[in-house]
């Protein structure tokens, strides 16, 4: 059985999902791939893991680095799991490029190169937004591209983390922030 609960963030409503023990999903309502790990049958319920996730989000949206992490459960291909592992190790307040992640995955797999586009697909399908910080990934040129929750939310999350935005720009407009 799966369970969901809702969190009201400063950026909009967030739906959290759990298998009863671990966090299995976290999405801004209406985002691309919303509910990708949810089965058709789920129940709205308050659970300790979802309460812990709410406390984590409270810390985060108050501009603090949460000193704990709720248990997470991810189920995907080895490639996606490798990318999501790298995402989990991007420090608060910093950004990395899709190309840098591709280079890390290639090195882990003993390959010369890895497609940054393939990495982008894995990043985009991350089912646990914010806690697995896919918003900290940018294009090689500094473009703020590819956030399933929307570029506006990506910008606000990076600003909340006090990321230096001087060299980053919006993808279609080419405008600096």
């Amino acid at each position: 059985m799966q369970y969901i609960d809702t969190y009201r963030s400063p950026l909009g409503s967030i739906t959290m999902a759990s298998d009863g023990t671990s966090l299995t999903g976290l999405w801004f309502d209406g985002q691309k791939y919303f509910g990708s790990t949810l089965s058709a049958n789920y129940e709205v319920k308050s659970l300790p893991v979802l309460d812990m996730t709410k406390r984590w989000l409270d810390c985060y949206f108050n501009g603090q680095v949460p000193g704990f992490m709720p248990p997470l459960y991810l189920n995907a291909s080895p490639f996606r799991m490798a990318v999501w592992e790298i995402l989990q190790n991007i420090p608060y307040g910093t950004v990395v490029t899709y190309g840098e992640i591709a280079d890390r995955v290639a090195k882990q797999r003993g390959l010369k190169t890895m497609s940054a586009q393939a990495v982008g697909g894995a990043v985009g399908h991350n089912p646990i937004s914010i806690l697995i910080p896919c918003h900290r990934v940018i294009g090689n040129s500094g473009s703020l591209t590819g956030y399933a929750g929307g570029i506006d939310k990506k910008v606000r999350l990076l600003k909340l983390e006090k990321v230096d935005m001087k060299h980053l720009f919006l993808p279609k407009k080419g405008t600096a922030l």
Side-chain angles (χ1 to χ4, degrees):
M1 179 60 131
Q2 290 185 305
Y3 306 93
I4 66 166
D5 202 353
T6 302
Y7 179 82
R8 305 276 181 233
S9 86
L11 305 182
S13 189
I14 293 174
T15 297
M16 305 170 294
S18 173
D19 59 8
T21 306
S22 301
L23 185 69
T24 59
L26 188 141
W27 310 272
F28 283 104
D29 288 359
Q31 82 171 50
K32 193 173 184 180
Y33 311 119
F34 177 88
S36 62
T37 61
L38 276 177
S39 65
N41 297 319
Y42 56 84
E43 179 182 324
V44 177
K45 187 173 184 179
S46 179
L47 296 169
V49 68
L50 298 177
D51 291 340
M52 179 185 277
T53 302
K54 288 178 183 181
R55 286 191 308 276
W56 191 100
L57 291 167
D58 284 344
C59 289
Y60 180 82
F61 284 113
N62 282 318
Q64 302 165 356
V65 179
F68 62 95
M69 180 67 77
L72 307 178
Y73 176 77
L74 298 164
N75 184 21
S77 70
F79 174 73
R80 284 188 179 176
M81 294 296 283
V83 171
W84 298 343
E85 173 85 19
I86 291 168
L87 293 180
Q88 291 177 69
N89 291 300
I90 302 171
Y92 181 97
T94 63
V95 294
V96 300
T97 67
Y98 293 98
E100 289 171 321
I101 294 173
D103 289 344
R104 289 183 200 171
V105 172
K107 186 175 182 178
Q108 287 174 357
R109 294 179 165 219
L111 302 171
K112 280 188 172 184
T113 62
M114 171 62 61
S115 164
Q117 289 176 320
V119 166
V123 170
H125 283 86
N126 166 25
I128 303 178
S129 296
I130 305 173
L131 281 78
I132 298 177
C134 50
H135 61 278
R136 296 179 189 153
V137 184
I138 62 171
N140 288 343
S141 63
S143 173
L144 291 171
T145 185
Y147 188 61
I151 298 297
D152 59 325
K153 287 182 177 66
K154 181 174 191 158
V155 168
R156 290 181 65 190
L157 292 170
L158 293 175
K159 285 182 177 180
L160 175 73
E161 294 184 19
K162 297 182 178 30
V163 169
D164 182 0
M165 308 287 278
K166 286 185 289 214
H167 303 291
L168 305 180
F169 62 91
L170 300 174
K172 291 183 181 164
K173 299 173 187 170
T175 19
L177 297 170

